[in-house]
Amino acid sequence: GLVCAIEDQSSGIQWYNGIYSITDAIGTAITSGIENTTAIIEDQGDVATDYAAGLASVYSGGGFNNWFLPSKDTLNEMYLNKARINSTAIANGGSNFSTDYYWTSTESEYNTAWQQRIQDGYQYVIDKDKERSVRVVRAF
């Protein structure tokens, strides 16, 4: 299964580290986030707080250190279950999703990646230099 963090890790961070490249993080399936995050970090480096996947990899919420950036399909599942996630997060000292856009780990082109607006589920590609929110997930 998957679980998401009880709070956002960022309300505005870029997808990339400032250098456009093809990371091969193209998986969209629910199971793809780990591989996508690994591919992004291998390409972009380990400057953890400079971009979304790096930030995800150093998060240690709940005493765990195996968090990653959700794939396109995983983030959509989070959107579909946002009321339940929000209530569980609040009950455990966390926070609701913002109504903002969130990064996925799914790359589209060398200069774009997928994002999702958590308010209404709208997904589309946008330039990797835009700042978006991040909420990480981990497998259990």
Side-chain angles (χ1 to χ4, degrees):
L2 293 174
V3 62
C4 71
I6 61 170
E7 61 194 0
D8 291 349
Q9 286 62 64
S10 175
S11 61
I13 194 166
Q14 296 179 334
W15 193 91
Y16 77 146
N17 71 356
I19 300 170
Y20 288 114
S21 64
I22 295 175
T23 67
D24 291 324
I26 58 172
T28 61
I30 289 176
T31 57
S32 299
I34 294 170
E35 293 82 14
N36 285 349
T37 301
T38 299
I40 297 164
I41 291 168
E42 286 175 357
D43 180 80
Q44 297 286 295
D46 62 357
V47 183
T49 59
D50 286 355
Y51 66 101
L55 184 64
S57 74
V58 298
Y59 182 65
S60 60
F64 297 97
N65 61 3
N66 59 339
W67 299 93
F68 53 90
L69 200 58
S71 68
K72 182 177 181 261
D73 291 353
T74 302
L75 191 56
N76 192 59
E77 283 297 313
M78 292 164 69
Y79 157 71
L80 294 173
N81 291 286
K82 71 179 176 182
R84 189 171 172 195
I85 292 169
N86 283 342
S87 64
T88 301
I90 294 295
N92 288 284
S95 59
N96 288 335
F97 283 108
S98 73
T99 58
D100 205 359
Y101 289 94
Y102 285 78
W103 280 123
T104 75
S105 62
T106 307
E107 183 175 56
S108 176
E109 301 286 337
Y110 80 97
N111 64 332
T112 58
W114 285 92
Q115 66 171 0
Q116 181 158 0
R117 188 167 54 208
I118 210 72
Q119 178 181 14
D120 59 12
Y122 183 61
Q123 289 187 322
Y124 69 95
V125 297
I126 193 166
D127 198 293
K128 294 175 181 176
D129 71 350
K130 303 300 183 214
E131 293 189 353
R132 298 294 182 251
S133 296
V134 169
R135 177 130 354 162
V136 297
V137 296
R138 69 176 190 84
F140 64 93

